[in-house]
Amino acid sequence: MRLTLTTWNINSVRLRIELVADFLQAVQPDVLCLQETKCPDDAFPLKRLKQLGYNHIALNGQKGYHGVAIVSKLPFETTDIRVFCDKLDSRHISVAFGAQAGLSAPLIVHDFYVPAGGDIPDPEANPKFAHKLSFLDEMKSCDGLHPRGDARHILVGDLNVAPHENDVWSHKQMLKIVSHTPIECEKLLAVQSEGNWIDVARERIPLSEKIYTWWSYRAADWAASNRGRRLDHIWVSSALKNAVQDYQVLRDARGWERPSDHVPVTVVLDV
């Protein structure tokens, strides 16, 4: 069975619901994982998405901030929400696909929105940065994020860290900028290592090549300056390593009218 899954930090789902609709109509992913929905569950635009054939929706939202959602053509067996750092701040949701979706073996999808961490890369001076580091530590130690053997898991989302040198426009100039500081990179890579996760982008694209999924709103001309970062990730468990058939970053989406500063990232798997 061919499965297409997209992750996208939408930066307000209600503000950009028509961009979402246009994308879904054009690409037709089976599953769309959203972050930074900024929307309480009772105000989520369910009707518009169901009109497009996405009848299965798992929500973990809050008013004005954060928020994650999984939107699917395929039915879920179960949904789950994990709390990190004892904060009810809507940063994780997962769903399990199984027989109802036509799968012979279970498939679990985790959708994350890791804290951005503020502007000052000092946990003592900046509580937001301290929260981010603690969140990554808890991800590393979370048993549910340690798939082993034949366990088929996908972890996606805005992980808010660009861990490798060519995941940012300038490694040297970004070393003291939150999202690419050495401690953040070390901690995100430790999450990946502890769970035996495979970073799909870097499995398919050499570390020597630049990959970006985010471009700041502050740039007068984002395309010309091209000061991007790879903050949005798709990881698969070892059991799915050979299942990956394609990986795409929809860079053009950054140039749409009233866009998110993140663009959709899509993986295709044989499951």
Side-chain angles (χ1 to χ4, degrees):
M1 175 178 167
R2 183 64 56 95
L3 179 80
T4 301
L5 181 148
T6 297
T7 181
W8 192 4
N9 177 319
I10 194 58
N11 192 12
S12 178
V13 68
R14 287 180 291 180
L15 182 64
R16 298 188 169 85
I17 185 58
E18 290 310 315
L19 291 185
V20 173
D22 290 346
F23 173 80
L24 292 176
Q25 288 175 306
V27 178
Q28 292 288 321
D30 300 293
V31 182
L32 173 64
C33 296
L34 296 171
Q35 305 87 40
E36 209 172 354
T37 56
K38 296 182 177 178
C39 179
D41 292 350
D42 60 3
F44 196 87
L46 296 171
K47 183 178 179 181
R48 185 74 180 94
L49 292 164
K50 289 183 177 181
Q51 287 173 343
L52 297 167
Y54 292 83
N55 294 308
H56 309 282
I57 301 174
L59 301 174
N60 182 13
Q62 63 184 97
K63 185 178 180 180
Y65 297 94
H66 319 140
V68 287
I70 299 179
V71 176
S72 176
K73 293 181 178 180
L74 305 172
F76 315 136
E77 303 287 329
T78 58
T79 65
D80 185 41
I81 292 170
R82 292 181 182 270
V83 173
F84 292 80
C85 303
D86 296 321
K87 291 180 179 286
L88 299 174
D89 56 356
S90 301
R91 294 186 179 276
H92 169 268
I93 194 164
S94 66
V95 299
F97 295 100
Q100 294 182 69
L103 301 182
S104 58
L107 175 68
I108 296 175
V109 175
H110 293 274
D111 183 12
F112 272 97
Y113 178 44
V114 171
D119 294 326
I120 303 169
D122 180 347
E124 294 187 5
N126 178 6
K128 292 182 178 180
F129 193 67
H131 177 212
K132 182 176 191 175
L133 299 183
S134 295
F135 194 101
L136 291 169
D137 285 341
E138 288 196 17
M139 285 182 69
K140 176 186 174 183
S141 63
C142 178
D143 286 342
L145 301 180
H146 300 158
R148 297 291 188 253
D150 295 334
R152 307 196 309 165
H153 289 228
I154 305 172
L155 188 157
V156 308
D158 177 3
L159 304 186
N160 259 316
V161 181
H164 300 293
E165 288 193 17
N166 285 317
D167 292 339
V168 294
W169 65 276
S170 172
H171 171 62
K172 290 182 179 179
Q173 294 184 66
M174 290 288 297
L175 280 171
K176 295 183 179 179
I177 303 298
V178 173
S179 76
H180 191 62
T181 64
I183 189 170
E184 293 170 90
C185 297
E186 175 186 320
K187 286 183 180 294
L188 184 68
L189 292 173
V191 177
Q192 182 188 340
S193 176
E194 191 72 17
N196 288 333
W197 295 102
I198 294 160
D199 178 352
V200 171
R202 286 309 181 188
E203 183 73 9
R204 299 179 68 83
I205 301 170
L207 286 168
S208 59
E209 293 187 25
K210 297 281 192 183
I211 317 174
Y212 310 143
T213 66
W214 174 93
W215 292 262
S216 174
Y217 287 131
R218 296 176 184 174
D221 187 334
W222 70 273
S225 62
N226 200 29
R227 294 188 172 190
R229 308 178 200 176
R230 184 173 74 103
L231 303 179
D232 305 272
H233 298 262
I234 297 177
W235 297 352
V236 298
S237 61
S238 298
L240 289 172
K241 178 178 181 179
N242 296 325
V244 177
Q245 302 300 312
D246 195 16
Y247 169 86
Q248 299 286 337
V249 177
L250 187 57
R251 185 179 188 273
D252 289 351
R254 183 61 181 82
W256 293 348
E257 186 175 352
R258 299 184 74 189
S260 172
D261 44 0
H262 298 253
V263 299
V265 182
T266 300
V267 66
V268 179
L269 306 103
D270 281 337
V271 297

